[in-house]
Amino acid sequence: CLENTDPRTRGRGIQLLSQVLLQCYSLLQEKEVLHLVLFYENRLQDHHLVIPSVLQGLRALSMCEVLAPGLAVSVLKAIFQEVHVQSLLQLDRHTVYSIITNFMGTREEELKGLGADFTFGFIQVMDGEKDPRNLLVAFQIVRDLIAKNYSLGPFVEELFEVTSCYFPIDFTPPPNDPHGIQREDLILSLRAVLASTSQFAEFLLPLLIEKMDSDLQSAKLDSLQTLTACCAIYGQKELQEFLPSLWSSLRREVFQTASEKIEAECLAALHALSACLSRSVLRSDTEDLLDSFLGSILQDCRHHLCEPDMKLVWPSAKLLQAAAGASLRAYHCVTHSVLPLLLEQYTKHPQSSQRRTILEMLLGFLELQQKWGHVDEDESTVLSLRAPVCSVVFSALTDPSVQLQLVGIRALTVLGSLQGFLSPSDLELVVDHLIRLALHGEDSQSSEAAMEAAGSLAPIYPKVFSGRMVPRLEEELQCISSSEGEEEGSPDRCSLRQRCLQALAAVSTHTSIVRETVPVLLQHLRKVQKGSGAGNVQGLVSVCQSLHRVALQCQQDAEGCWYYHQTVVPCLLAMAVQAAMQESTQPLLGKALLEEEVLAAMVPVISAATTHLSPELAAQSVSHVVPLFLDGEVSFLPQNSFPCLFQPFEDGECLEAQRRLVALLMAFVCSLPRDVAIPQQERLLRELLALSCSCNCPFTATTAAKCFAGLVNKHLAGQQLDEILQLAVNRLEPSLAEGSRRTQALTLLLWVTKALVLRYHPLSSRLTDKLLALLSDAELGPAAADGFSLLMAESPDVLHKGCHADVRIMFRQRFFTDNVPKLVQGFHGAGPDVKANYLKGLSHVLNHLPKPVLVTELPTLLSLLLEALSCSDRVVQLSTLSCLQPLLLEAPQIMSLHIDTLVTKFLSLTCSPTMAVRIAALRCAHALTSLPTTVLLPYKARVIRALAKPLDDKKRLVRKEAVAARGEW
C-alpha cells in the first residue's frame, strides 16, 4: 500500500501504520523512531489525502521517550513548512496542536533553541482557527509559550493579534453539544492568555478601552474583568499612557449604567488599578502616578459628595471607596481629602435623610480602615479626626430618625473595632448609648441593633462591658421586679423586662462577661418563680430564651461552655425539683415552673449547654444527673434541702409533677456526645419505657417516649439493644390493640420507629409495617397518618445531628423506596372511610423528600396526588398542594400531560373554606404559568374568569396571591 500510485490506497497504508504506532509507540527503540520520523517527514510532501494519517503517525512518535535529540525540532519545522494547517479538518488540526503540546512538555530546551522561529511557526498554524475545541488547546499553548519564557522575538504583536481577534468571545454552544464546551471556558482561557504578559499591554489596553465603550453588556463585562486580571501583573510603566482614558471610561460607566453587574466590575477594576499603582516601586526621578491618578478621581468625584440628595452622590462615594480600599497609601490620600468634607457636610445638612446618606458614606470609609487593623497616629486621618467623628456618630444615635440611628449603631461598631481609636471616656459613652437604645429605643429595630452592637464590641472590651453595662442592666431588672406589685403586668414593664433580659444575653459574648450575666439571669429566674400572677409563665419563658441565647454563644469556647453547664444545669434542675416537690406536698406553690410551656423553654437551654461538652466533662456531669432521676440523689444540686424524696419514676398521683421533669432529663441525656457512657442505662431505658406506656399525662408520656427513642438511637448495636427493643415491642403490641392508652402507645411507636429509621436498624421495617397497618384503624388512623410527618421531618429537640444522633445519609430516600409502594397498595385496598389516611401519609412523605428524587418518581405517583386533591381533609389538600407547586416548576413535561385535571382541581380549591388552602391553590395556579405556552393557551380565558372571584376575597393575603396569579395568566 505504501508504494501504491493511488493516493487513497497509500493513505490507507499510512493510516494502518499510524494506528499500529498509536498502540505501541512506547515499545519502539531509538533507531526505529529515527527511521519512522524520517519516513513520516518525507510523507508530509505527499498528496493532501494522505496528510491526516501522516499527522496521526507523528502524534504517536511525539509521545516516544526514546526520540533522539533534534527530531522534535525537525518534525515541527517540517509541519510548519509543508502543511497548511487551517485547510485541514477540525480533527486533523487538533492533531497538530497535540503534537506541539507533546513536544513542549518533553522537549522544551530543544524547542527554545529554535528561538522566535518556533513562535512564528505556531502563529501560522493557529491563524484563522475557528473551532472552540481547538481554540482551548491553542490558547493553552500560547499561555505556555509566555509562562515558560519561549522567545517571542519581534512577533509579540503578531502573537497578540492572532489571539486577541477572538476578544470578546461570542460563542453559543449548540443544543445537545456532546463536547460540553461553554462560553465561559473560552472566556477564561483567552483571558489567561491576554493577562499573561505585560508585553501585550500597549496593544491590549486600547482594545479594552474600545470594548468598554461598546453597547454590548457582555463585551463591557469581559473587558472590565480582563483589565482587573491584567492589573495583577502590570506596573506603572504599562499603565501610564492609558490611565486618563481608563478612568474616563470607568467613571462614565459607574455614573451612567443601570446594571449592578457592570457597576461592580468597574469598581473592581478601579480597585485593581489603584492597587497596581500602589505596588510600583518609585525611583527618585519618576512621578508618583498613584497621587496623580487619585487626584483625578478626587477632582471628578469629591464635589458630588456635597449633594446628598443628588443621584451622583453614591456612585462618587463608591468610586472613591474602591480606589481608597486598594492600599494603605491610597486610603490615606483619599480620606485626607474626603473625611473632613463629609464631617463638614453632616453639620451643614440638618435633615435626617441627608445626614443618613452622609453618615453611610463616612461609614464606608471607616470600614476600609478595618482592613489595616491598628490605627497609626502619625499617618491616620481617621485618628486626627477622632473628636468630630465621635461627635457625628453620637449625634446620630440621639436623632429621632430610626434609620439614622441604625447607621449610627453600625458606625459605632466599626469605630469600636478600630484598635486604639476610642478613648476610655468615649467607650463609657458608647456603652451608655447602647444601654439607652437597647432598653428605651422607641423602635424595636434600633433596640435589636444596639444589642447586636453590644455583642460585637463586648469581646473587644470585656472589662468595660462587664463593669458598666451588666451592673446597669441588673439594676434595671431589680427596679422592674421591685415595682411589679404596684403596676401588675403593665405592658411597658413587661416590654422593658424583656429587653433587659435580651440585652443581658446579647452582651454575653466573652467568658468573663458570661460569668457576670448568668448569675443575674438565674437570680431573676428565681424571683419570677417565687412571684405570683398571670405574667409568671411568660416571665419564666423569657428568662429561658435569654439563657438559651447565652448557651449558644458559649458553645465554641470550652472554658465558657463548662462554666455555663455546671452553673446553669444544676440550678435549673434544683428549681424544677423544688417546684415539683412543693406541688406534691403543697399544691399551687411552684405551679408556673411546671407548666408545659416553661419546661419546653428549659429543654433547649439544657440541650445547648450539653451538646458541646468534651467527653470527659460530659461523663462527669452524667454521673450526677442520671442518679438524680433514678435514685433521687440530690446532693450535687444547689440548695438541696428538699421536703420529700425525688422519685419521678415511682407510681402515685402525688408524683405527677415530678414525672413532668423527665423533659429535663431528655434534654440532658439526648444531647450527650455518642461516646459518653450513661450509668445504669438499661435500667433508665426500662423506666422510660414503663412511664411512656403507663402515664396519664400526654406531655410526660411523650417526653418519656422521646427520651427512650433518643437513647435507643445512640445505643451500641448488640444483644442489650435487641433485648430492650423486644421489650418495647412486647409492651406496644397489646397497648396498640386495645385499651385506654392506645394514643400513648402510638406516640411511643412513632418515636421508636424514627430512632431506628434514622440509623437503618433492621427492626425499623417491622415497626413501619405496624404503623402502615394502623392507617386503616378508625380511631388511630388519622394520627398514624400524621405520624409520617414526624418520621420524615427534622425534630427540634432530639434525634437530630446537632445532638449527636445517629442520622444516616439519605434515610428519607430509603424510607420512600421501602414504604411508598406499600402506601399506594394500601390505598387501593382500603375502604372509602380510611382512604384519606393513606393519602395524608403519602403526602407527608413526599413533602419531605428531596425534589430531584420526587421528580424521578412523579409519573407513577401523580395520579394519586391528583386524587388527594379531591379528599375533604384540609391537611391532605394543603400538603398535596405544597408538594405539587415546586413540581410544576421542576417537571413541566410530565405535569403538562395532566393540565386539564390540574386546572380544574386548583380552581375549585381557590373557593375552599380554609384560607391556607385557598392561598396554596392560588400559588399552584400561578406556578402553572411555567408550563409551555402552547399547553396553557386553551385554558387562559377560563382561568382568568375563575380567578376574578378570589380578587374579592375577604382575606388580604388571599387577594395578594390572586392578583399575582391572575396577572401572570
Side-chain angles (χ1 to χ4, degrees):
C1 287
L2 296 179
E3 294 180 339
N4 197 294
T5 53
D6 177 32
R8 280 187 178 76
T9 309
R10 280 203 308 285
R12 279 205 297 279
I14 294 172
Q15 184 182 15
L16 175 60
L17 177 59
S18 297
Q19 285 173 343
V20 171
L21 289 176
L22 282 165
Q23 296 293 325
C24 69
Y25 63 85
S26 59
L27 309 174
L28 296 173
Q29 295 168 17
E30 189 174 329
K31 268 187 178 176
E32 293 167 338
V33 173
L34 172 64
H35 195 74
L36 287 162
V37 166
L38 294 174
F39 167 73
Y40 271 108
E41 280 182 8
N42 182 267
R43 289 302 87 204
L44 284 173
Q45 299 168 12
D46 204 336
H47 194 279
H48 69 87
L49 290 173
V50 175
I51 300 299
S53 300
V54 176
L55 292 171
Q56 287 295 348
L58 287 171
R59 182 165 77 88
L61 295 170
S62 73
M63 294 187 277
C64 290
E65 289 180 16
V66 294
L67 197 71
L71 286 184
V73 170
S74 170
V75 168
L76 288 180
K77 275 184 172 177
I79 290 174
F80 293 160
Q81 204 169 328
E82 304 295 345
V83 183
H84 184 245
V85 176
Q86 287 307 316
S87 64
L88 300 173
L89 293 174
Q90 180 271 327
L91 184 62
D92 305 324
R93 300 199 303 277
H94 195 278
T95 305
V96 175
Y97 296 125
S98 298
I99 294 168
I100 296 171
T101 304
N102 291 341
F103 283 145
M104 286 178 80
T106 57
R107 310 282 157 167
E108 186 178 324
E109 291 310 316
E110 286 180 41
L111 300 191
K112 283 182 175 175
L114 271 172
D117 289 349
F118 176 57
T119 304
F120 181 65
F122 174 72
I123 289 169
Q124 287 181 307
V125 166
M126 183 184 168
D127 194 8
E129 182 59 69
K130 287 188 174 61
D131 191 278
R133 291 163 288 180
N134 291 349
L135 282 172
L136 283 177
V137 186
F139 290 156
Q140 182 60 53
I141 292 172
V142 180
R143 284 220 300 281
D144 290 343
L145 279 174
I146 293 163
K148 294 179 178 175
N149 294 316
Y150 282 79
S151 169
L152 305 185
F155 304 116
V156 174
E157 187 170 0
E158 284 78 1
L159 187 62
F160 173 76
E161 291 296 339
V162 85
T163 48
S164 65
C165 61
Y166 301 101
F167 184 86
I169 294 285
D170 180 24
F171 167 68
T172 307
N176 309 319
D177 177 21
H179 309 293
I181 294 174
Q182 298 299 314
R183 181 168 173 270
E184 194 63 20
D185 302 328
L186 289 164
I187 288 173
L188 294 175
S189 192
L190 175 57
R191 185 176 301 150
V193 171
L194 297 177
S196 62
T197 173
S198 57
Q199 294 180 71
F200 284 166
E202 60 180 303
F203 316 114
L204 178 59
L205 290 171
L207 175 66
L208 293 180
I209 292 166
E210 178 197 326
K211 298 299 179 188
M212 270 191 245
D213 298 346
S214 84
D215 294 333
L216 269 178
Q217 180 163 331
S218 58
K220 284 182 197 286
L221 282 172
D222 204 351
S223 304
L224 290 163
Q225 287 164 349
T226 305
L227 174 60
T228 304
C230 289
C231 286
I233 61 155
Y234 287 2
Q236 289 213 24
K237 181 164 68 79
E238 287 78 20
L239 292 172
Q240 184 164 9
E241 183 189 337
F242 304 100
L243 281 174
S245 306
L246 286 168
W247 163 238
S248 170
S249 296
L250 291 172
R251 182 192 60 211
R252 188 191 63 251
E253 286 304 325
V254 173
F255 279 179
Q256 294 178 5
T257 187
S259 160
E260 285 182 19
K261 251 186 178 177
I262 287 180
E263 183 188 85
E265 292 301 341
C266 283
L267 297 174
L270 182 60
H271 182 279
L273 282 169
S274 181
C276 177
L277 297 174
S278 303
R279 272 197 313 271
S280 301
V281 179
L282 295 177
R283 295 203 312 275
S284 56
D285 58 339
T286 55
E287 177 197 356
D288 183 0
L289 283 183
L290 180 66
D291 269 358
S292 55
F293 183 60
L294 294 176
S296 306
I297 298 172
L298 283 163
Q299 187 182 341
D300 291 345
C301 296
R302 193 174 178 272
H303 60 279
H304 291 302
L305 304 185
C306 305
E307 304 158 344
D309 292 331
M310 307 305 279
K311 74 170 196 173
L312 290 181
V313 65
W314 269 116
S316 300
K318 286 176 184 175
L319 286 164
L320 287 164
Q321 284 164 7
S327 70
L328 194 52
R329 192 153 66 98
Y331 180 75
H332 287 322
C333 179
V334 173
T335 52
H336 182 73
S337 169
V338 169
L339 290 191
L341 175 72
L342 289 174
L343 293 168
E344 179 193 319
Q345 292 303 311
Y346 187 91
T347 318
K348 265 190 186 175
H349 292 85
Q351 278 186 21
S352 294
S353 60
Q354 296 171 325
R355 285 190 158 190
R356 179 186 159 200
T357 302
I358 295 163
L359 187 55
E360 280 187 322
M361 291 190 285
L362 181 65
L363 175 61
F365 286 104
L366 293 174
E367 282 172 336
L368 292 176
Q369 174 76 58
Q370 286 178 303
K371 286 171 69 171
W372 293 286
H374 185 67
V375 181
D376 192 341
E377 292 207 30
D378 300 338
E379 293 187 8
S380 173
T381 312
V382 176
L383 207 57
S384 65
L385 297 169
R386 178 194 295 172
V389 167
C390 285
S391 168
V392 159
V393 172
F394 291 152
S395 84
L397 298 176
T398 52
D399 195 274
S401 160
V402 174
Q403 295 308 314
L404 183 53
Q405 281 177 19
L406 292 173
V407 182
I409 292 168
R410 279 167 51 210
L412 200 60
T413 312
V414 173
L415 292 181
S417 68
L418 298 178
Q419 198 182 348
F421 185 86
L422 294 172
S423 66
S425 58
D426 287 336
L427 270 172
E428 289 182 0
L429 204 50
V430 165
V431 172
D432 293 345
H433 276 298
L434 290 177
I435 294 170
R436 178 182 56 76
L437 287 166
L439 300 187
H440 307 291
E442 288 182 21
D443 188 89
S444 63
Q445 271 184 293
S446 52
S447 171
E448 285 164 21
M451 291 182 205
E452 288 297 325
S456 302
L457 295 175
I460 308 172
Y461 310 102
K463 284 184 180 171
V464 180
F465 278 86
S466 61
R468 193 171 183 87
M469 188 165 189
V470 178
R472 289 272 298 278
L473 292 170
E474 183 180 7
E475 195 182 309
E476 196 79 43
L477 259 184
Q478 284 170 349
C479 288
I480 297 163
S481 302
S482 58
S483 61
E484 221 150 42
E486 302 156 30
E487 297 175 52
E488 184 68 43
S490 144
D492 289 347
R493 280 195 182 286
C494 289
S495 166
L496 186 56
R497 180 173 61 189
Q498 181 84 350
R499 283 191 178 187
C500 266
L501 294 169
Q502 287 170 345
L504 279 166
V507 80
S508 305
T509 48
H510 187 274
T511 305
S512 66
I513 302 173
V514 171
R515 289 176 184 275
E516 303 286 333
T517 55
V518 164
V520 174
L521 288 168
L522 293 175
Q523 183 59 34
H524 187 67
L525 189 68
R526 290 190 197 97
K527 266 191 184 170
V528 178
Q529 184 210 357
K530 284 174 187 165
S532 59
N536 262 22
V537 169
Q538 192 46 51
L540 290 167
V541 169
S542 296
V543 184
C544 288
Q545 285 167 344
S546 289
L547 283 168
H548 181 228
R549 180 170 176 178
V550 178
L552 294 175
Q553 288 163 187
C554 287
Q555 284 179 340
Q556 302 312 318
D557 172 51
E559 184 198 341
C561 187
W562 178 235
Y563 164 77
Y564 183 92
H565 181 87
Q566 63 180 2
T567 309
V568 174
V569 173
C571 180
L572 291 184
L573 290 172
M575 288 173 67
V577 169
Q578 181 82 43
M581 288 184 180
Q582 285 176 341
E583 179 72 9
S584 308
T585 54
Q586 303 161 277
L588 302 175
L589 254 179
K591 191 76 175 165
L593 200 68
L594 302 173
E595 291 286 347
E596 279 180 34
E597 201 181 334
V598 178
L599 289 172
M602 283 185 177
V603 166
V605 178
I606 294 174
S607 180
T610 309
T611 51
H612 284 63
L613 287 181
S614 67
E616 300 77 34
L617 296 174
Q620 197 177 319
S621 194
V622 78
S623 66
H624 296 305
V625 176
V626 172
L628 167 69
F629 280 85
L630 287 178
D631 307 313
E633 181 54 64
V634 296
S635 57
F636 82 103
L637 297 177
Q639 302 149 349
N640 54 16
S641 55
F642 298 117
C644 61
L645 289 174
F646 181 57
Q647 301 168 307
F649 291 116
E650 294 298 319
D651 291 335
E653 272 188 44
C654 64
L655 298 175
E656 181 54 55
Q658 294 188 16
R659 285 197 282 272
R660 294 168 82 81
L661 302 195
V662 169
L664 306 185
L665 173 69
M666 173 198 78
F668 176 77
V669 293
C670 292
S671 303
L672 291 167
R674 251 187 275 177
D675 50 359
V676 174
I678 295 172
Q680 307 181 67
Q681 185 169 12
E682 308 313 310
R683 180 184 160 200
L684 178 60
L685 283 165
R686 288 167 193 274
E687 296 285 17
L688 288 165
L689 180 61
L691 184 60
S692 66
C693 293
S694 61
C695 183
N696 293 321
C697 168
F699 174 78
T700 306
T702 303
T703 48
K706 285 160 80 170
C707 191
F708 180 81
L711 292 173
V712 160
N713 173 264
K714 294 183 197 176
H715 200 298
L716 287 172
Q719 189 185 348
Q720 285 184 324
L721 177 62
D722 295 342
E723 284 174 7
I724 201 75
L725 287 174
Q726 191 53 53
L727 186 66
V729 171
N730 294 345
R731 291 291 292 264
L732 274 170
E733 284 178 336
S735 301
L736 282 170
E738 57 186 4
S740 58
R741 295 207 168 88
R742 294 186 76 202
T743 307
Q744 282 102 312
L746 174 61
T747 303
L748 178 63
L749 171 66
L750 285 169
W751 283 104
V752 175
T753 306
K754 183 178 178 76
L756 300 182
V757 163
L758 292 179
R759 64 179 278 178
Y760 290 177
H761 191 281
L763 184 65
S764 62
S765 55
R766 183 176 153 198
L767 296 184
T768 311
D769 289 343
K770 286 188 187 304
L771 190 60
L772 287 163
L774 287 172
L775 291 174
S776 55
D777 185 288
E779 182 191 349
L780 293 180
D786 284 330
F788 281 91
S789 175
L790 186 149
L791 295 182
M792 298 293 281
E794 187 82 11
S795 169
D797 43 10
V798 292
L799 297 176
H800 60 86
K801 283 187 178 173
C803 65
H804 313 289
D806 185 355
V807 181
R808 300 297 172 89
I809 192 167
M810 296 170 74
F811 78 88
R812 290 184 178 87
Q813 287 90 317
R814 181 169 174 164
F815 187 86
F816 171 86
T817 310
D818 292 347
N819 296 295
V820 164
K822 296 176 187 174
L823 273 169
V824 173
Q825 189 183 346
F827 169 79
H828 290 306
D833 50 336
V834 292
K835 272 187 183 293
N837 297 338
Y838 287 90
L839 287 175
K840 190 191 284 190
L842 177 68
S843 62
H844 283 314
V845 174
L846 298 182
N847 244 326
H848 291 96
L849 202 63
K851 290 298 171 273
V853 181
L854 190 49
V855 169
T856 57
E857 300 293 336
L858 191 57
T860 54
L861 295 172
L862 192 55
S863 56
L864 257 184
L865 286 171
L866 294 174
E867 198 163 336
L869 290 177
S870 306
C871 177
S872 57
D873 188 309
R874 287 173 296 182
V875 177
V876 176
Q877 290 174 348
L878 200 53
S879 194
T880 310
L881 288 168
S882 61
C883 190
L884 285 170
Q885 189 193 343
L887 294 175
L888 288 163
L889 306 172
E890 290 172 35
Q893 287 77 23
I894 301 166
M895 302 303 262
S896 296
L897 303 174
H898 300 268
I899 181 71
D900 196 66
T901 315
L902 289 167
V903 168
T904 305
K905 303 269 189 194
F906 293 160
L907 293 182
S908 70
L909 288 173
T910 59
C911 304
S912 163
T914 309
M915 182 179 88
V917 173
R918 295 202 299 279
I919 289 173
L922 286 164
R923 284 179 182 158
C924 286
H926 190 166
L928 279 174
T929 58
S930 63
L931 302 185
T933 310
T934 47
V935 175
L936 300 176
L937 280 174
Y939 301 91
K940 181 180 167 183
R942 174 184 162 194
V943 173
I944 290 173
R945 261 199 318 277
L947 292 182
K949 187 180 177 188
L951 290 177
D952 284 333
D953 197 279
K954 59 180 181 288
K955 295 291 185 184
R956 184 183 61 82
L957 292 173
V958 177
R959 296 197 298 275
K960 183 182 165 192
E961 294 296 341
V963 167
R966 194 166 185 266
E968 204 59 43
W969 272 91

